[in-house]
Amino acid sequence: MPVDSSAPYRKRVAQALGDDGLRTALDRATGRLRSHRLAAMQDIDVERLREEVRAVREYSVSNLPDLLEQLEQNLTANGCVVHWARDAAEANEIVREIADEHNVQQVAKSKSMTTEEIGLNEALEHADIEVVETDLGEYIIQLAGEPPSHLTAPVIHKRVEDISKLFEQEFGIAPTTNPADLCAVARNQLRSKFLRADMGISGGNFAVAESGTVCIVTNEGNGRMVTSMPRVYVAIVGIEKVVPRLEDAILLWQAAARSATGQDVTVYFSMSSGPRGEGHPDGPEEMHVVLLDNGRSRLLERGYADALLCIRCGACVNECPVYREIGGHAYGRTAYSGPIGAVVTPLLADDMTSAKELPFASSLCGACLDVCPAKIDLPRLLLDLRHDLVLLKSSTNAERLGMRLFASAAKRRFTFEWLTRLGRWATGLLSGRDGEVRRLPPPLSGWTKYRSFPKLAASGFRKLWAERKPGRESGRG
């Protein structure tokens, strides 16, 4: 059974940990992506690339108002219609109105985390508009009725055997584990969708301010077909995706490709600056660009500007030991999983406490920081977010009481030393031959249900300090 992403957090995690097939799929896929990334970084100056990427992203976010104004002016000059959306509801309404104006019956979509974020598919389907995902991974999970579970590899949680079974049910094909055969089936199904689509919708990996250009990067030709074949094309772009120049977009493209899939560059880099001109045989009759806020300004106000530096490569997700155990659906019905998802999902929400568990779904090992091409200090952001959530009193009464008692004891030397001696005696009594405590009494039993508890050291710091520094008082220094 797939993880129910709408279930409570603890249930989602329990479902994920109990699914051996999911763990196998995650192990294979993330291991392959990590090894490809390492290979792609062997022949370049990685730190220089990371410094340059961070410099571009910091400049863009720091100068966001000016760059967005320049972007709007140049998009408009190119013949595009620019819309501003404050939130998901407004963005969905804008797209519905464009669809109504042009009597759109069918939409072909390229892969887009931004549209997943705002729930665009559901909004259009509610308006009786057929929406077809044309990216192979997105198409598979659309058939399965599931949300994506990874930033760049939405179907990473499924084994080839699962996909074969799904295609057998949907299209009546013979069972096969040959990826080429499965791709051919999907290609045949999607070809007619491109030809019949009235509207194409994509996200935007980068939006170039100096030229008014929306760029998308893909490894399938579907992205270019979505942006050029339907008579109306709509790009929904987060406001943080703006960059000053095309050269900056090319730099970020190379960094994203190497970090995401281990490629020097992706197969396609599609640029759209406006509708087709007079006498041009290709391109849409109209191009609309929806610039989406949806909490991004609020994220800046909350002091988490670094989270907007993300280029959505997914490297942090592949490295995260927590994600590799539970997968993306355990993070809930969010477009963003892994370490970056644990940061941005609560911050983009009106109420940060609506996803209060996610910042704590991390071991803070720092692997995400080591691989991030924009050098985002995700462990620090997670700690800051935990602090802010505690201030909002998002923890339980029992947790708050426990921390108050600990703080009170830690402020009093003799109380702390007495409790330490008590703890040393108790863990010594409960520990096995290896010095590990396998079972603690309630309410501490929740810890030893999943892991052992180490026996407290025989000597405390103050005693060791006094022994090593003769003549000093053990209570000072």
Side-chain angles (χ1 to χ4, degrees):
M1 286 290 292
V3 175
D4 181 2
S5 57
S6 61
Y9 172 71
R10 289 183 180 275
K11 185 175 181 180
R12 299 194 305 263
V13 172
Q15 288 176 342
L17 293 175
D19 188 338
D20 292 336
L22 171 66
R23 310 270 289 283
T24 299
L26 290 171
D27 240 13
R28 289 175 183 170
T30 57
R32 185 166 57 249
L33 289 170
R34 287 155 57 210
S35 64
H36 288 173
R37 176 194 168 275
L38 285 173
M41 297 297 181
Q42 293 298 317
D43 57 346
I44 64 169
D45 187 337
V46 178
E47 284 310 303
R48 179 181 174 184
L49 176 67
R50 297 177 76 205
E51 291 288 350
E52 291 179 353
V53 168
R54 184 171 180 89
V56 169
R57 294 303 298 130
E58 280 187 332
Y59 179 87
S60 300
V61 172
S62 299
N63 295 275
L64 205 53
D66 292 339
L67 289 174
L68 288 172
E69 184 177 345
Q70 183 185 10
L71 175 66
E72 180 185 29
Q73 289 173 351
N74 287 324
L75 283 169
T76 303
N78 294 341
C80 299
V81 181
V82 178
H83 309 263
W84 296 86
R86 286 169 292 191
D87 54 28
E90 196 164 294
N92 290 334
E93 185 58 30
I94 288 168
V95 179
R96 278 197 300 261
E97 288 176 357
I98 298 170
D100 287 343
E101 181 183 346
H102 295 278
N103 194 29
V104 170
Q105 302 297 313
Q106 188 175 83
V107 168
K109 276 183 78 262
S110 180
K111 183 182 182 305
S112 165
M113 298 308 293
T114 307
T115 60
E116 293 284 354
E117 174 190 330
I118 64 175
L120 179 63
N121 286 15
E122 293 82 355
L124 293 177
E125 288 164 357
H126 187 71
D128 296 324
I129 298 172
E130 182 185 359
V131 182
V132 179
E133 295 285 354
T134 62
D135 171 85
L136 179 58
E138 292 281 350
Y139 182 57
I140 290 169
I141 61 170
Q142 185 181 33
L143 291 175
E146 300 172 7
S149 63
H150 190 279
L151 295 178
T152 61
V155 74
I156 196 172
H157 59 288
K158 287 191 178 297
R159 300 168 300 171
V160 67
E161 296 86 355
D162 302 324
I163 298 169
S164 173
K165 185 176 181 180
L166 177 66
F167 278 24
E168 184 182 355
Q169 294 170 346
E170 292 290 328
F171 308 125
I173 68 166
T176 177
T177 55
N178 185 337
D181 292 341
L182 295 171
C183 286
V185 172
R187 188 180 299 114
N188 290 334
Q189 293 293 324
L190 289 170
R191 190 164 294 156
S192 63
K193 306 293 186 182
F194 287 115
L195 297 173
R196 292 204 305 266
D198 308 297
M199 176 187 284
I201 296 178
S202 80
N205 293 89
F206 320 110
V208 183
E210 71 170 359
S211 60
T213 303
V214 175
C215 309
I216 63 172
V217 297
T218 64
N219 278 316
E220 303 172 28
N222 68 305
R224 189 59 182 161
M225 294 173 77
V226 162
T227 63
S228 60
M229 290 185 68
R231 52 193 170 89
V232 180
Y233 167 45
V234 180
I236 303 175
V237 185
I239 57 174
E240 83 282 9
K241 297 297 184 68
V242 66
V243 295
R245 306 168 303 157
L246 181 59
E247 290 90 338
D248 300 319
I250 298 296
L251 171 70
L252 300 185
W253 171 37
Q254 294 173 334
R258 288 179 183 269
S259 300
T261 57
Q263 297 168 276
D264 291 344
V265 291
T266 54
V267 178
Y268 295 92
F269 183 84
S270 302
M271 297 184 288
S272 301
S273 297
R276 71 169 178 241
E278 186 177 348
H280 290 182
D282 302 316
E285 296 171 10
E286 287 188 17
M287 177 173 169
H288 296 256
V289 178
V290 181
L291 296 174
L292 177 71
D293 188 323
N294 200 39
R296 287 158 174 81
S297 296
R298 185 166 54 245
L299 189 149
L300 286 170
E301 293 167 2
R302 288 171 170 169
Y304 290 88
D306 259 25
L308 291 182
L309 306 185
C310 177
I311 60 175
R312 302 289 189 262
C313 67
C316 66
V317 182
N318 299 330
E319 288 292 329
C320 179
V322 174
Y323 176 89
R324 298 203 311 266
E325 288 294 317
I326 63 176
H329 292 160
Y331 288 80
R333 292 201 69 87
T334 172
Y336 310 111
S337 56
I340 188 63
V343 172
V344 300
T345 299
L347 289 172
L348 291 177
D350 293 333
D351 177 12
M352 279 174 32
T353 63
S354 62
K356 63 183 181 181
E357 303 92 352
L358 297 189
F360 297 90
S362 170
S363 65
L364 300 177
C365 67
C368 49
L369 170 59
D370 293 340
V371 300
C372 177
K375 301 186 75 170
I376 302 171
D377 192 346
L378 285 164
R380 169 50 53 191
L381 294 180
L382 287 166
L383 283 172
D384 290 345
L385 195 47
R386 291 179 183 185
H387 174 264
D388 289 347
L389 286 167
V390 169
L391 293 180
L392 292 173
K393 297 184 177 179
S394 64
S395 54
T396 64
N397 291 333
E399 288 171 332
R400 289 197 293 274
L401 176 61
M403 292 307 297
R404 280 199 294 269
L405 290 173
F406 173 79
S408 177
K411 292 175 183 177
R412 295 166 173 81
R413 173 183 170 185
F414 293 107
T415 302
F416 188 80
E417 289 182 345
W418 180 81
L419 288 173
T420 301
R421 286 195 294 271
L422 178 63
R424 194 174 292 127
W425 172 80
T427 55
L429 188 65
L430 295 171
S431 64
R433 291 183 179 179
D434 58 359
E436 299 287 328
V437 179
R438 305 297 177 186
R439 183 174 298 177
L440 286 172
L444 303 176
S445 54
W447 177 277
T448 49
K449 183 178 180 181
Y450 300 104
R451 59 185 73 80
S452 60
F453 188 87
K455 178 182 176 181
L456 295 189
S459 296
F461 174 78
R462 290 181 181 278
K463 182 179 178 182
L464 291 173
W465 180 260
E467 291 172 352
R468 295 189 183 192
K469 300 288 184 180
R472 289 188 178 228
E473 294 182 28
S474 61
R476 298 179 182 178

